[in-house]
Amino acid sequence: MFKAILIEKPEETQSVSITELSEDQLPEGDVLVDVAYSTLNYKDALALTGAAPVVRRFPMVPGIDFSGVVAESNHPDFKPGDRVVLNGWGVGETRWGGLAGCARVKGDWLVPLPEGISSKQAMAIGTAGYTAMLCVLALERHGVTPEAGEIVVSGAAGGVGSVAVALLAARGFDVAAVTGREAEAAYLRDLGASSVLDRSELTGKPRPLNKERWAAGIDVAGSTVLANMLSMMKYRGVVAACGLAAGMDLPASVAPFILRGVTLAGVDSVMCPKPDRLAAWQRLASDLDMAKLEKITVEVPFEEVPQIAPKFLDGAVRGRIVVPVTPELG
């Protein structure tokens, strides 16, 4: 038996409980993992609160991320004792996820944990940090260099934004960090931001084109924020878009794309091919300052997860939240 968070919806209203499950209740898969750590992301908060229809099947163990140790394997790439990490693939949405002591999944979904990253650090990174790295790689693929100019990052005090600021600063970029929380300015500068902007600069009614300000951007918000960011890109600027916290709409025009040659690069972390995942995790191992990662990480007891989740929806969460499940696994 192992502990787990379980979301159930027998009728119209869902419920969340902490319970015990057995291995024979787990879904099919060719690898069984003893979970050391999990984490909380915005999508997990939506699942736990029921604020959006993230969970597609009930009952559901949430948690789109986990790190741990292989217990059993019928997959050629993994053997018992291997340290692994999982992000996405519908885990925590359509298949039982990482907020439990054990997880049975397809081995193709797992990534070997790189040397130099502990199981706890892997979840301090989590989907948020892994997505931030995918965004940085997208900018690099489009030729963005520190010499091009300042990079803007929306939602900078959140999980994706915090890691993105740290990664970009470590690569020598000047970073304009955008946040709706003035009190986070010192925190963002400590991560490496060269300037901190109030979110209101990107929430006004978008114009087709605004004054050119930034060489590139990473956006977690979508909607008006993304539309304004696009309108302020320099000639041949690039925006990596990975989130929709402000909405799925895009009240923009084609002007930035046609008149300035701006590129909008979509970044998906859920179904991202394994070679890209491996590249992202290797770069995280080499590029991310683990001392800065520790500064943006808060550990929350397993039993308190249901109470913490609503804070994401209120925009009251800074950085990354790690949830120890079986921390003695290392």
Side-chain angles (χ1 to χ4, degrees), residues 200-222:
S200 61
E201 295 198 37
L202 291 174
T203 55
K205 184 177 179 180
R207 298 172 57 189
L209 289 175
N210 272 300
K211 181 180 178 181
E212 296 182 37
R213 296 181 65 174
W214 301 298
I218 293 176
D219 176 59
V220 305

Side-chain angles (χ1 to χ4, degrees), residues 138-157:
L139 298 185
E140 291 179 352
R141 281 197 302 271
H142 286 88
V144 179
T145 64
E147 294 72 30
E150 195 172 42
I151 312 297
V152 63
V153 177
S154 68

Side-chain angles (χ1 to χ4, degrees), residues 1-9 15 17-33 35 37-39 44 47 54-67 86-107 109-110 302:
M1 303 293 289
F2 56 88
K3 63 183 178 181
I5 295 176
L6 194 66
I7 304 174
E8 299 177 280
K9 192 174 183 181
S15 63
S17 63
I18 296 175
T19 187
E20 286 197 341
L21 300 172
S22 61
E23 286 185 15
D24 59 7
Q25 292 176 273
L26 291 169
E28 293 182 358
D30 51 10
V31 180
L32 178 67
V33 179
V35 177
Y37 289 88
S38 188
T39 180
D44 297 315
V54 170
V55 177
R56 309 298 173 84
R57 300 175 186 171
F58 295 92
M60 177 59 61
V61 173
I64 66 173
D65 291 330
F66 65 77
S67 61
L86 183 143
N87 311 106
W89 294 117
V91 169
E93 301 175 69
T94 60
R95 289 181 59 92
W96 284 12
L99 285 166
C102 293
R104 185 180 286 121
V105 296
K106 293 183 179 181
W109 298 346
L110 296 170
F302 189 86

